[in-house]
Amino acid sequence: MKLTNEELEVLSILEENHRVSVETMAAMVNTTVENTMEIIKKLESDKIIVSYPALIDWSKVEGKENIVAMIEVKVTPKRGVGFDEVAERIYRFPEVTSLYLMSGAYDLSLTIEGKSMTEIATFVSEKLSTIENVISTTTHFMLKKYKHDGVVFGGSKDTDRRMVVSP
Amino acid sequence: MRNAPQHYFSETVKELKPSGIRKFFDLAASIEDVISLGVGEPDFVTPWSIREAAILSLEEGFTSYTANPGLLELRQEITKYLKNRFDVQYSPIDQVIVTVGASLALDIAFRAILNPGDEVLIVEPAFVSYSPLVAMAGGNPVPIATTADNGFKLTPEHIENAVTPKTKAILICSPNNPTGTCLNKKEMAEIAHAIEKHDLILVSDEVYAELTYDEDYTSFAAIDGMYERTILINGFSKGFAMTGWRLGFLAAPKAFVEQMVKIFQYTTMCAPHMLQHGAIEALRNTSDEVENMRKSYRRRRNYVVQALNSIGLDCHTPGGAFYVFPSIKKTGLTSEQFAEELLLKEKVAVVPGTAFGESGEGYVRCSYATSMEQLQEAIKRMTRFMESLEIRDIQKEKLYSNQ
Ligand SMILES: Cc1ncc(COP(=O)(O)O)c(C=O)c1O
């Protein structure tokens, strides 16, 4: 879909920080508040803006540390529906946080989050592996999140090293 | 120890005034948790690939001098850049010098062209270094004051009114620091006529060329009749977020460069070798990042201009750089008082307009090279500050009724 410059501007601003007020956003784009609201509505209904999640580093919150695993899955595609049907069966599980069809050594790549190793093991052995057409799975546990969706987690603090006033 | 006697020092240097920015810097630096709109440099860190190229060149041991005018490879990239971006053609062999910042390029330009007493027209409000650089090169800086009513634009009439038989050169900075004013092609052509008519040399400071928001940038050297008399000054500081690297360059007709390279050779030898590798990377592979920075500044400019106007600090919409130059005349304060009170009461640092010449009185420079969060907070504080000044209404009218 081809977007207007204003629409692209709105997307860039939201991607950087979706908590900017509509008034501020309108000023940044140099347009009216009404127009900005309309643009946002359109982008939402076109599913270009998919959702507004907060990116939370749960590993920092006591009692909330999740275990994350990435699982490579090989499947035999079903005649007629290809990978989509298998994919749908997998992504319906709420513990699956992302799922991609991949080229290369395996077919599907999924990320799952669980409270414990056992929970993940149970998911893999009881739910995932038993799906018809799933040939094999390889589970990789994530040890530490450095960067996610373009955001650096807990990296060195961004400090402004510039002088307060300069030429 | 006894103070050094005054006769130890150069008369020229003794007469230089300390920079108005410097003075304000000391005050701002003494206060904690200041939101600074006083910064004249990008808030971005240099794009990673540029930093990486410099690191690699150190690892590979590029620690020697380079040719005086800089690595040929870099000069070639510079001439390609000038050709592709601004359609001006220079030879990498004998028309370009890589300098230690645009600052040094300006310095050697003036030293190469000025004889004692020669006048240089300086369009004000102007970057703080211009007049001192002209003075140190033995020239007389002659300010041309531009005004807010035509967006601080220079016109041919300005030149006609200021020119004398001693006028040797004119220094133009577009987009301008501190006003952000950007001249368009038509305005440049008209100015060019006046420059040609009086046979002036043009020192064109184009360090903000990458940061224009509404129109494509035209380099003065690309205007009819200007190439032969223009010393084009540019650099990596602003557009590529490389202020600390101290890398700039100049391009000019061969005869100019021949003279300038001598000064550079005897004072500086060459720009730092390893950093020149970073500059090559900057010109080759970072146009996307430069574009993203530009877009970000543009959004912030739009926001700041609207926000300042809405709280009664009238400002025009500047076409480039990352400064706005709102009028504070309504407040009845001088620009120094305004900046100082705003800093003390609300901890927001802006630079008094007078730091950029007398014509800057009544204005302050606000830089929007700061995060949106900081800008929003600064506007909140400035709103509060403006409200606290309401009582001075009568005083305002009295002070500025004759302007
Ligand atoms: C108009 C102008 N020219 C030149 C310079 C100096 O640039 P550089 O860092 O390349 O020496 C500045 C820096 O603030 C500037 O604003």
Side-chain angles (χ1 to χ4, degrees):
Chain A
M1 192 180 303
K2 193 149 171 61
L3 299 188
T4 65
N5 279 342
E6 283 181 351
E7 289 166 344
L8 287 170
E9 285 284 88
V10 166
L11 286 181
S12 305
I13 294 166
L14 284 173
E15 191 174 32
E16 221 169 75
N17 177 4
H18 70 266
R19 298 183 66 224
V20 182
S21 73
V22 199
E23 289 74 23
T24 302
M25 210 183 304
M28 290 166 86
V29 180
N30 205 4
T31 182
T32 60
V33 172
E34 293 72 39
N35 190 28
T36 310
M37 293 201 302
E38 233 158 74
I39 290 174
I40 295 174
K41 230 173 27 201
K42 171 177 179 282
L43 292 168
E44 285 172 350
S45 71
D46 288 346
K47 291 265 185 282
I48 289 177
I49 297 174
V50 187
S51 82
Y52 299 92
L55 204 51
I56 295 162
D57 189 353
W58 285 113
S59 69
K60 283 204 180 122
V61 184
E62 210 180 300
K64 287 282 186 189
E65 306 92 337
N66 266 348
I67 293 198
V68 181
M70 282 154 120
I71 308 178
E72 300 167 359
V73 187
K74 281 190 192 161
V75 301
T76 28
K78 236 180 160 175
R79 184 175 287 194
V81 287
F83 292 101
D84 295 355
E85 193 176 283
V86 197
E88 196 178 331
R89 288 198 56 192
I90 295 175
Y91 69 59
R92 282 206 195 116
F93 289 110
E95 46 273 71
V96 175
T97 53
S98 65
L99 176 63
Y100 311 103
L101 179 63
M102 310 293 288
S103 71
Y106 54 93
D107 305 302
L108 297 169
S109 163
L110 66 103
T111 312
I112 86 157
E113 287 184 24
K115 300 249 166 320
S116 63
M117 215 78 125
T118 342
E119 201 177 303
I120 288 181
T122 314
F123 172 82
V124 176
S125 60
E126 291 182 6
K127 295 175 177 163
L128 186 59
S129 310
T130 55
I131 293 174
E132 209 194 332
N133 304 63
V134 168
I135 306 167
S136 71
T137 65
T138 313
T139 305
H140 307 274
F141 286 100
M142 196 185 281
L143 301 182
K144 185 173 176 183
K145 218 181 248 185
Y146 290 105
K147 188 176 184 181
H148 183 84
D149 271 358
V151 179
V152 173
F153 273 56
S156 57
K157 240 180 106 206
D158 278 340
T159 43
D160 194 340
R161 297 195 186 87
R162 300 175 301 168
M163 297 187 290
V164 184
V165 175
S166 74
Chain B
M1 199 188 110
R2 179 170 80 89
N3 270 346
Q6 286 298 300
H7 70 260
Y8 278 14
F9 304 110
S10 136
E11 290 304 327
T12 313
V13 174
K14 275 196 286 185
E15 271 174 29
L16 291 180
K17 281 196 293 252
S19 150
I21 287 192
R22 203 69 228 168
K23 206 166 77 189
F24 199 66
F25 167 80
D26 291 336
L27 177 62
S30 67
I31 298 172
E32 273 183 34
D33 299 324
V34 171
I35 292 192
S36 180
L37 307 183
V39 188
E41 59 183 325
D43 58 323
F44 296 98
V45 177
T46 311
W48 172 247
S49 71
I50 302 175
R51 290 188 270 159
E52 207 267 340
I55 294 168
L56 180 69
S57 93
L58 267 176
E59 283 178 355
E60 292 189 345
F62 288 108
T63 57
S64 59
Y65 291 129
T66 66
N68 292 133
L71 290 171
L72 181 59
E73 200 182 351
L74 174 55
R75 281 180 281 147
Q76 279 162 342
E77 285 304 324
I78 289 170
T79 51
K80 252 191 251 169
Y81 168 77
L82 293 174
K83 176 79 187 108
N84 297 340
R85 204 63 182 72
F86 312 120
D87 200 25
V88 281
Q89 183 99 48
Y90 290 97
S91 150
I93 306 294
D94 47 21
Q95 288 196 277
V96 174
I97 306 175
V98 180
T99 57
V100 178
S103 303
L104 188 66
L106 288 163
D107 184 31
I108 61 179
F110 291 127
R111 286 207 265 167
I113 61 177
L114 295 181
N115 288 311
D118 282 348
E119 290 175 356
V120 177
L121 305 180
I122 292 174
V123 185
E124 284 193 359
F127 177 47
V128 289
S129 302
Y130 293 161
S131 291
L133 282 172
V134 169
M136 285 189 284
N140 283 338
V142 176
I144 290 182
T146 60
T147 54
D149 32 279
N150 69 339
F152 296 102
K153 288 194 170 181
L154 172 74
T155 61
E157 293 73 51
H158 282 129
I159 298 178
E160 294 298 341
N161 293 336
V163 129
T164 73
K166 288 195 171 154
T167 312
K168 180 80 173 271
I170 179 167
L171 170 52
I172 301 178
C173 176
S174 166
N176 177 280
N177 171 10
T179 61
T181 296
C182 192
L183 298 168
N184 65 34
K185 203 168 173 176
K186 184 166 158 282
E187 291 155 349
M188 287 177 156
E190 287 162 6
I191 293 165
H193 278 305
I195 292 175
E196 243 186 322
K197 181 173 151 200
H198 297 287
D199 192 21
L200 305 181
I201 297 168
L202 169 63
V203 179
S204 180
D205 184 343
E206 307 186 357
V207 293
Y208 292 102
E210 282 293 348
L211 306 179
T212 59
Y213 309 116
D214 303 320
E215 292 177 66
D216 282 342
Y217 187 72
T218 306
S219 167
F220 247 114
I223 301 284
D224 275 351
M226 283 299 101
Y227 184 88
E228 304 74 38
R229 57 180 72 249
T230 297
I231 302 176
L232 185 161
I233 310 268
N234 206 326
F236 298 91
S237 285
K238 315 289 175 172
F240 298 89
M242 292 170 69
T243 47
W245 295 61
R246 311 310 307 122
L247 282 180
F249 58 88
L250 61 81
K254 194 172 154 195
F256 283 86
V257 170
E258 251 168 35
Q259 302 303 329
M260 291 191 285
V261 84
K262 285 190 279 182
I263 304 171
F264 186 63
Q265 179 175 30
Y266 294 135
T267 55
T268 313
M269 297 279 241
C270 67
H273 190 159
M274 46 293 212
L275 303 189
Q276 292 187 48
H277 287 280
I280 292 171
E281 169 65 21
L283 293 175
R284 274 190 193 151
N285 296 319
T286 62
S287 56
D288 286 353
E289 271 142 298
V290 170
E291 178 63 21
N292 284 339
M293 292 193 272
R294 178 187 13 254
K295 281 187 179 153
S296 172
Y297 291 131
R298 181 170 194 273
R299 283 177 213 127
R300 294 185 247 168
R301 175 202 64 171
N302 291 345
Y303 167 72
V304 169
V305 168
Q306 198 189 73
L308 289 177
N309 278 316
S310 77
I311 63 171
L313 292 171
D314 305 328
C315 62
H316 71 289
T317 303
F322 33 59
Y323 311 106
V324 287
F325 204 60
S327 164
I328 50 104
K329 291 181 180 175
K330 273 189 199 161
T331 65
L333 300 172
T334 66
S335 56
E336 287 211 19
Q337 284 168 338
F338 181 93
E340 197 171 317
E341 284 193 27
L342 178 62
L343 180 64
L344 296 174
K345 274 196 194 155
E346 293 289 351
K347 298 188 176 188
V348 175
V350 299
V351 183
T354 43
F356 310 99
E358 271 169 38
S359 57
E361 181 55 280
Y363 300 85
V364 293
R365 189 190 75 176
C366 307
S367 155
Y368 50 86
T370 290
S371 72
M372 267 307 287
E373 288 72 37
Q374 294 271 303
L375 284 175
Q376 282 177 300
E377 178 59 27
I379 294 291
K380 216 187 282 172
R381 295 183 187 187
M382 289 169 87
T383 311
R384 213 157 47 203
F385 179 69
M386 289 300 283
E387 280 160 6
S388 77
L389 293 177
E390 231 44 272
I391 32 163
R392 301 189 203 224
D393 265 356
I394 305 157
Q395 197 184 347
K396 290 177 218 173
E397 270 166 39
K398 222 168 48 198
L399 254 167
Y400 290 103
S401 57
N402 52 353
Q403 290 204 2

